[in-house]
């Protein structure tokens, strides 16, 4: 679907690298390229990120994964988040993961691998769980648990703001209200074709632009043509639409995920980080409230932001939480929202070179916030030097979907 979009009225600008998408991944990549002295354009249809996953996530940060590359990306990112802890609201209160019999044996087998990768993690019996978290008083189906003190919770908006501030300090140019509608990657350089709106766009306009995938959107605003040595696609759940502009595909599936905020009344979880239950429900303290999520396995792939409200809470969340802890009896729904998971078939992100002059980092399958720092650094290194710092990252390239060398991440909800 690559079209010649040349417009004689277009403003023309030139950069070393142009990044499409300014969520946490695009912003981290912009910072990393700026640090390396490159001139960079960071482009988004909505810099405030109203539809973006970076604005609609649960803020969990963990290196407790089963794929070594996921452990490594999170560990490196966590070390960076520790260095700017107060700026990004990083609360390192740990992850408590409760396992059923089916997963517990594998969780135990993974402990030495996780520790080898510098991830501090302990195994707990149900009895030890009761001693650490007295709120949990029902142990049906728990074979064991892990607790990882270095994991925790982050404010992803502050993290994104940090990346952008650093990027600006390195003279990265941010384009807001700018929609990429065409890509041409020739032997000499790459060209991006943008329309930049002169006034703020409504939610409906942003949603329509992001989800249209036939290039048929009528032109609007100011035409801009950007020439660059390389382009980086960091368009999250919309990466398949952007890749299609360059005649490339991606197996990414956009899947709606819903989060609820509940009034905890007499219960406070402020001493704990994230808790994952065997039932798939996860929850953590959120100011005076509790934030809880659950991912129904039957949810179809779609660009849907419909929030099912109290009905979702009463049907999927509250029964699972109450089944684990009787103190949640009086938990009451307050509010919530829906956002998009950007899932790959093996639940690991896509990072690498997609074609000559076209690089990509997207589809982090619900772990993009916690891996964003390392992902940005690795993509920048690939663009600048042609290789990764951590050779494991090579496995995240798109070639794995053709060769079958998948990095299936089983510790995923
Ligand atoms: C409910 C929920 C809970 C989650 N919980 C966690 C969690 O606890 N921890 C964690 O690490 N991750 C979590 N995630 C996943 C995490 O939010 C994502 O992996 C991460 O935000 C992806 O960042 P991104 O920059 O790749 O994509 P996004 O943040 O979606 O950014 C992509 C950007 O690209 C722009 N764009 C797309 N196409 C175009 C175009 N043609 N022109 C211009 N701009 C374009 C969009 O406007 C958007 O701003 C969760 C996600 C959801 C929905």
């Amino acid at each position: 679907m690559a079209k010649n979009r040349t417009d004689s009225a277009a403003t023309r600008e030139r950069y070393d690298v142009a990044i499409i998408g300014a969520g946490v991944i695009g912003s981290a990549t912009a910072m990393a390229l700026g640090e390396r002295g490159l001139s960079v354009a960071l482009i988004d249809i909505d810099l405030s990120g109203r539809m973006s996953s970076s604005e609609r996530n649960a803020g969990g940060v963990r290196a407790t994964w089963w794929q070594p590359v996921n452990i490594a990306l999170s560990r490196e990112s966590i070390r960076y988040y520790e260095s700017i802890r107060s700026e990004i609201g990083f609360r390192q209160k740990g992850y408590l993961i409760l396992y059923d019999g089916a997963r517990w044996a594998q969780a135990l087998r993974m402990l030495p691998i996780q520790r080898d990768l510098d991830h501090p993690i302990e195994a707990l019996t149900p009895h030890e769980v009761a001693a650490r978290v007295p709120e949990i008083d029902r142990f049906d189906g728990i074979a064991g648990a892990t607790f990882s003190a270095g994991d925790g919770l982050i404010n992803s908006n502050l993290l994104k703001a940090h990346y952008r501030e650093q990027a600006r300090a390195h003279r990265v140019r941010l384009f807001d209200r700018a929609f990429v509608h065409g890509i041409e990657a020739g032997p000499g350089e790459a060209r991006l074709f943008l329309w930049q709106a002169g006034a703020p766009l409504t939610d409906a306009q942003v949603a329509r632009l992001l989800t249209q995938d036939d290039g048929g959107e009528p032109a609007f605003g100011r035409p801009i043509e950007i020439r660059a040595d390389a382009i980086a696609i960091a368009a999250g759940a919309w990466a398949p639409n952007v890749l299609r502009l360059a005649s490339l595909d991606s197996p990414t599936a956009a899947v709606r995920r819903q989060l609820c905020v509940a009034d905890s009344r007499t219960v406070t979880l402020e001493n704990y980080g994230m808790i994952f239950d065997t039932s798939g429900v996860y929850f953590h303290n959120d100011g005076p409230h509790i934030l809880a999520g659950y991912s129904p396995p039957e949810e179809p792939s779609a660009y849907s932001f419909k929030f099912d409200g109290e009905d979702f809470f009463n049907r999927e969340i509250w029964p699972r939480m109450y089944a684990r802890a009787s103190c949640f009896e009086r938990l009451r729904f307050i509010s919530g929202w829906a956002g998009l998971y950007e899932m790959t078939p093996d639940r690991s992100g896509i990072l690498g070179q997609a074609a000559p002059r076209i690089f990509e980092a997207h589809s982090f399958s619900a772990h993009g916030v916690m891996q964003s720092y390392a992902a940005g650094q690795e993509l920048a290194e690939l663009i600048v030097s042609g290789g990764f710092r951590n050779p494991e990252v090579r496995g995240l390239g798109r070639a794995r979907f053709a060769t079958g060398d998948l990095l299936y991440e089983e510790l995923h909800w």
Side-chain angles (χ1 to χ4, degrees):
M1 226 261 332
K3 294 178 186 169
N4 186 338
R5 308 276 188 159
T6 303
D7 181 334
S8 56
T11 305
R12 293 191 169 75
E13 300 190 18
R14 198 179 196 297
Y15 297 86
D16 293 329
V17 184
I19 303 171
I20 306 168
V24 281
I25 299 291
S27 298
T29 305
M31 176 181 90
L33 288 165
E35 286 169 349
R36 287 160 175 77
L38 272 70
S39 66
V40 179
L42 178 62
I43 303 154
D44 205 297
I45 183 61
D46 174 30
L47 277 184
S48 73
R50 279 168 287 173
M51 307 287 153
S52 76
S53 305
S54 298
E55 289 285 321
R56 293 169 175 259
N57 60 80
V61 171
R62 63 170 158 127
T64 310
W65 293 102
W66 287 354
Q67 278 294 337
V69 68
N70 287 327
I71 302 170
L73 287 178
S74 287
R75 270 310 289 160
E76 182 187 350
S77 299
I78 286 171
R79 276 193 286 275
Y80 183 73
Y81 303 155
E82 286 168 344
S83 73
I84 50 168
R85 184 189 307 277
S86 56
E87 188 183 341
I88 58 171
F90 186 29
R91 290 155 282 151
Q92 246 170 329
K93 292 189 174 175
Y95 256 65
L96 178 71
I97 303 184
L98 309 176
Y99 300 85
D100 58 20
R103 281 185 169 180
W104 183 230
Q106 177 68 0
L108 285 174
R109 275 196 295 277
M110 285 307 300
L111 291 177
I113 297 165
Q114 291 162 332
R115 288 173 183 148
D116 270 1
L117 288 166
D118 192 28
H119 178 44
I121 185 161
E122 9 171 8
L124 306 179
T125 63
H127 185 71
E128 288 168 325
V129 170
R132 298 249 183 134
V133 186
E135 287 80 2
I136 294 177
D137 58 359
R138 294 170 172 167
F139 294 90
D140 294 357
I142 301 180
T146 56
F147 181 72
S148 42
D151 294 340
L153 301 162
I154 210 166
N155 182 324
S156 58
N157 301 341
L158 293 179
L159 179 65
K160 191 174 64 176
H162 167 84
Y163 292 144
R164 288 182 185 173
E165 197 182 314
Q166 295 300 308
R168 282 194 186 94
H170 291 290
R171 306 215 185 132
V172 169
R173 166 93 194 277
L174 275 71
F175 288 78
D176 194 10
R177 303 193 296 262
F179 179 67
V180 176
H181 64 89
I183 296 175
E184 285 177 17
E189 64 183 358
R191 294 200 292 168
L192 284 191
F193 302 93
L194 279 56
W195 293 311
Q196 188 171 41
L201 298 161
T202 64
D203 284 3
Q205 286 173 311
V206 172
R208 192 162 49 85
L209 281 163
L210 285 173
T211 53
Q212 64 92 27
D213 62 359
D214 62 358
E217 189 66 23
F220 65 90
R222 182 169 78 108
I224 303 176
E225 183 183 318
I226 290 185
R227 295 171 179 234
D229 291 332
I231 66 168
I233 295 174
W238 298 279
N241 297 347
V242 175
L243 283 157
R244 209 169 295 128
L245 298 173
S247 303
L248 293 162
D249 61 9
S250 174
T252 314
V255 184
R256 176 182 69 148
R257 290 300 180 216
Q258 303 181 69
L259 293 174
C260 294
V261 178
D263 179 356
S264 51
R265 310 222 172 171
T266 53
V267 191
T268 171
L269 301 176
E270 69 183 345
N271 293 328
Y272 314 121
M274 183 80 91
I275 300 178
F276 266 89
D277 184 42
T278 53
S279 65
V281 76
Y282 56 91
F283 47 90
H284 64 76
N285 191 61
D286 187 42
H289 305 302
I290 289 175
L291 187 76
Y294 174 73
S295 306
E298 67 280 5
E299 184 76 36
S301 171
Y303 288 112
S304 168
F305 290 90
K306 181 176 172 293
F307 177 55
D308 293 337
E310 187 162 7
D311 178 53
F312 179 73
F313 178 79
N314 290 337
R315 192 179 63 242
E316 305 287 9
I317 301 222
W318 183 81
R320 289 179 170 85
M321 291 180 71
Y322 181 52
R324 187 54 74 211
S326 55
C327 65
F328 290 140
E329 182 178 10
R330 299 186 64 221
L331 216 54
R332 293 290 178 272
F333 172 80
I334 299 179
S335 64
W337 64 88
L340 297 176
Y341 273 15
E342 5 66 302
M343 300 299 295
T344 59
D346 62 5
R347 303 160 166 187
S348 292
I350 300 176
L351 198 164
Q353 182 158 10
R357 300 191 182 279
I358 301 182
F359 296 80
E360 59 184 340
H362 54 82
S363 310
F364 278 83
S365 305
H367 30 109
V369 173
M370 61 184 88
Q371 299 186 333
S372 56
Y373 173 75
Q377 292 291 325
E378 289 293 1
L379 190 66
E381 198 58 35
L382 180 67
I383 292 170
V384 171
S385 73
F388 295 111
R389 298 160 320 150
N390 176 354
E392 291 264 5
V393 177
R394 223 178 294 133
L396 291 175
R398 58 171 46 229
R400 74 185 192 272
F401 301 110
T403 60
D405 297 319
L406 298 183
L407 297 170
Y408 194 77
E409 180 52 68
E410 283 182 79
L411 198 60
H412 198 286
W413 288 265

